[in-house]
Amino acid sequence: MGELFSGPGGLGVGARLASNQHGEIVHQWATDYDEDTCRTYATNIVGDEDAESVVHADIRKLDYEELAKLGDIDGLSFGFPCNDFSLVGERKGFDGEFGPLYTYGIKALERFQPDWFLAENVGGIRADGGSTLRKIFADMVDVGYRIYPHYYKFEEYGVPQSRHRMIVVGIRKDLDVEYKVPSPDVFAQSDVTAGTALSGIPAWAANQEPTRQSQRVIDRLNHIPAGGNAWVADMPEHLRINTRTKLSSIYRRLSSDKPSYTVTGSGGGGTHIYHWSEPRALTNRERARLQTFPDTFVFKGNKESVRKQIGMAVPPKGAKVIFEAILNSFAGVDYPHVEPSLKKYMPQV
């Protein structure tokens, strides 16, 4: 597998976990624009922080022939940056700095012609009535792929976090392989509560540095119940936040008996994720637990860099489900499945 916009390795870990008697997905090459992210990926996925197969580069300047020298690929993954499609922000879409970056995934499909691909982005990409999705899907089909787009709610697939993402699996049209969206029913009995996810973290696990918090923040958190945020009615006057925009994520505390809300790369202005009973922000290791990274996974860089890496990643356990389905599809093995939920945005063939 080759990866563009690889992030710290959520898909890489998921691919490794998915490998079974029906097949194996192994790293061939990966690239990302962030140096710390590349170091994290190389350390954990390849086992060598300086691995040549992990290329630190701005994809807008990257020559794909350099990737080709690193080896042929059967699959391509690209979680193209979501900033301009997210519901949080200015929503510039294709006119923003990040919106056009999906085209580099399309160009890679043209150049490498892999048997399959996996593309990931935020659910908010649908918010313009679907025109963005229709354009992206049409481009994927035009370069030779049958596509299976679905809106995955990862808490329904064993991940202790309400993380909703648009994921497209594509199979090259000349191959007699049919991908099916895996059914979440298989995971109906999974314990996806934050309380369970954050229990028993070993002292040896890396990235457990606490966030420094002022007494004012601690006092504010002590007035917020589990599951609540800064806008509780009985917040003392001197602890209130005076702003017109009342985002629900501001000083929002987890509920121990429910999945976490979405882990993001942000952290300033009260947007850290906060513990349900202790008046503090979560550590990066706790955030990584909510993202289902193993405790042995070590993130490189300073605390803020690690926070961003964790927030941008695909949850490995969620990725595992999709990669298993891809392997089963190529092996001709049937499995419980559902209809792709984003079918209506696909071009009429």
Side-chain angles (χ1 to χ4, degrees):
M1 179 172 71
E3 293 188 59
L4 308 178
F5 316 107
S6 67
L11 289 172
V13 174
R16 183 187 299 160
L17 293 172
S19 299
N20 55 34
Q21 69 268 28
H22 300 308
E24 184 180 13
I25 300 173
V26 297
H27 163 80
Q28 184 74 299
W29 46 256
T31 181
D32 197 276
Y33 79 103
D34 182 77
E35 185 174 6
D36 287 342
T37 296
C38 289
R39 290 171 56 218
T40 296
Y41 186 104
T43 298
N44 293 276
I45 305 303
V46 187
D48 176 5
E49 186 175 330
D50 299 314
E52 292 183 0
S53 62
V54 182
V55 180
H56 171 222
D58 182 336
I59 200 163
R60 293 166 292 193
K61 302 174 183 176
L62 178 63
D63 183 353
Y64 282 177
E65 297 314 308
E66 295 302 309
L67 296 178
K69 292 176 185 176
L70 297 170
D72 295 330
I73 58 172
D74 305 297
L76 176 72
S77 295
F78 55 104
F80 54 102
C82 61
N83 310 51
D84 290 320
F85 300 119
S86 175
L87 291 173
V88 179
E90 296 181 60
R91 294 195 49 78
K92 295 180 179 179
F94 291 131
D95 296 324
E97 178 183 357
F98 302 100
L101 293 182
Y102 89 92
T103 61
Y104 291 89
I106 302 298
K107 291 172 184 174
L109 291 176
E110 285 186 291
R111 167 60 184 83
F112 298 104
Q113 288 291 296
D115 293 348
W116 57 267
F117 74 81
L118 183 157
E120 178 259 355
N121 205 271
V122 291
I125 197 169
R126 304 173 300 168
D128 63 354
S131 60
T132 295
L133 279 188
R134 289 186 178 91
K135 168 61 176 166
I136 292 173
F137 292 172
D139 287 351
M140 292 171 170
V141 170
D142 286 347
V143 292
Y145 289 83
R146 291 191 305 277
I147 62 172
Y148 307 86
H150 189 66
Y151 186 54
Y152 291 81
K153 297 181 178 180
F154 281 124
E155 69 272 24
E156 297 178 352
Y157 288 89
V159 176
Q161 178 192 168
S162 295
R163 192 178 190 89
H164 302 166
R165 290 295 184 266
M166 183 277 293
I167 292 180
V168 184
V169 170
I171 306 290
R172 213 174 60 221
K173 289 178 182 177
D174 63 312
L175 300 177
D176 186 21
V177 176
E178 192 74 21
Y179 174 83
K180 297 170 184 173
V181 175
S183 171
D185 293 347
V186 177
F187 303 89
Q189 302 305 314
S190 299
D191 184 344
V192 292
T193 61
T196 297
L198 300 189
S199 64
I201 296 177
W204 52 258
N207 310 115
Q208 297 200 57
E209 304 88 345
T211 295
R212 275 181 261 171
Q213 292 167 156
S214 67
Q215 188 59 48
R216 180 181 175 83
V217 168
I218 293 171
D219 291 345
R220 182 179 289 133
L221 288 171
N222 279 327
H223 282 87
I224 301 173
N229 58 30
W231 319 115
V232 292
D234 61 350
M235 182 69 70
E237 184 70 36
H238 70 285
L239 296 175
R240 290 180 183 174
I241 299 173
N242 297 314
T243 177
R244 291 182 179 179
T245 305
K246 295 186 176 182
L247 295 175
S248 63
S249 59
I250 303 298
Y251 292 106
R252 185 175 174 187
R253 303 187 77 165
L254 296 174
S255 295
S256 63
D257 59 349
K258 297 178 181 178
S260 165
Y261 53 93
T262 304
V263 176
T264 69
S266 61
T271 57
H272 288 285
I273 297 178
Y274 296 87
H275 198 274
W276 57 87
S277 62
E278 300 173 24
R280 63 172 179 85
L282 298 190
T283 65
N284 277 327
R285 176 52 54 191
E286 289 171 320
R287 292 161 60 87
R289 272 282 188 98
L290 297 176
Q291 281 278 58
T292 68
F293 279 95
D295 291 336
T296 52
F297 196 98
V298 178
F299 293 88
K300 298 292 184 174
N302 63 33
K303 190 156 67 71
E304 278 60 48
S305 173
V306 170
R307 185 191 70 236
K308 291 176 183 177
Q309 292 176 53
I310 294 170
M312 77 168 69
V314 177
K317 282 191 177 180
K320 172 181 181 283
V321 173
I322 299 169
F323 283 131
E324 277 182 337
I326 291 172
L327 288 174
N328 287 337
S329 297
F330 275 85
V333 177
D334 199 14
Y335 51 89
H337 56 273
V338 296
E339 279 293 301
S341 62
L342 300 178
K343 221 171 173 181
K344 66 180 181 180
Y345 300 110
M346 291 168 57
Q348 298 299 315
V349 180

